[in-house]
Amino acid sequence: MPQTENLSFVGGNMFPHADAILLKLVMHNWSNEDCLKILKRYREASTYNDEERKEKILIIDMVLNRDEDEANMTEVKLLFDVLMTVILDRGGGRGGGQRTEKKWESLFLESGFIGYKIILFLCLRSLIQVFP
C-alpha cells in the first residue's frame, strides 16, 4: 500500500505520534498485565502539545458477552477464547485471550484513557475506539 498524505508508515516505532493507531487482532495475544503496559505506553505517546488534536486508538478484536450477540456467536467467541488461552499460555496464567466489555473498560481506565466506544464489526470482531 503506498504512502499518502493521510497515511504514513513509521518503521521501527511501535508508539508513534499519530491521529489514530490501529491494533488489529493484537491485544488478545497478551495478558492483562502486558496489555496494560502497552496501553499506558500508547497513552503516553498520544500526548500532543496542541489540545485541539485528539488522537485515538482503534482496536479490532473480539468482545465477549455483548448484548447484541446471538447465542451461537457467543459460543464461537468462547471457543476462540479457549484456543487463545491454550496457544498463548506463558505459564502462571499469563496467556492471552478474549475479553469482556467490562475487562476492556477496566484496562482502558487503568491505563489513563477517559472513554471508549465499541461497534460490532464483521460478526465476531468489534471495532473499539479508545479516547485519551
Side-chain angles (χ1 to χ4, degrees):
M1 185 183 309
Q3 188 161 305
T4 67
E5 182 180 320
N6 295 331
L7 176 68
S8 61
F9 297 97
V10 183
N13 185 357
M14 191 171 158
F15 303 102
H17 287 288
D19 294 329
I21 296 170
L22 174 65
L23 299 172
K24 181 179 179 187
L25 301 175
V26 171
M27 302 301 277
H28 68 204
N29 294 327
W30 300 97
S31 69
N32 291 330
E33 295 82 14
D34 290 331
C35 280
L36 194 57
K37 289 177 188 175
I38 292 168
L39 288 168
K40 282 182 177 179
R41 185 61 185 99
Y42 275 118
R43 176 67 183 102
E44 291 168 7
S46 70
T47 306
Y48 274 106
N49 291 331
D50 182 357
E51 287 298 318
E52 292 183 24
R53 285 192 82 165
K54 299 291 185 193
E55 58 282 338
K56 60 186 163 190
I57 296 177
L58 303 173
I59 298 172
I60 297 176
D61 221 318
M62 288 185 198
V63 179
L64 296 175
N65 301 331
R66 296 283 295 165
D67 291 337
E68 54 277 347
D69 281 351
E70 295 180 22
N72 59 348
M73 281 296 131
T74 299
E75 185 176 349
V76 171
K77 287 181 179 183
L78 290 172
L79 288 172
F80 270 102
D81 184 44
V82 171
L83 178 66
M84 294 303 295
T85 302
V86 169
I87 290 174
L88 298 172
D89 183 21
R90 295 176 176 97
R94 292 204 38 172
Q98 311 307 332
R99 294 176 174 84
T100 63
E101 181 173 354
K102 194 172 204 80
K103 184 40 118 177
W104 281 112
E105 178 181 37
S106 172
L107 288 171
F108 300 147
L109 295 177
E110 195 172 336
S111 58
F113 290 91
I114 60 169
Y116 68 95
K117 180 179 180 182
I118 297 177
I119 302 166
L120 187 59
F121 177 72
L122 295 177
C123 297
L124 291 176
R125 297 181 187 122
S126 294
L127 173 64
I128 308 169
Q129 298 176 28
V130 188
F131 308 101

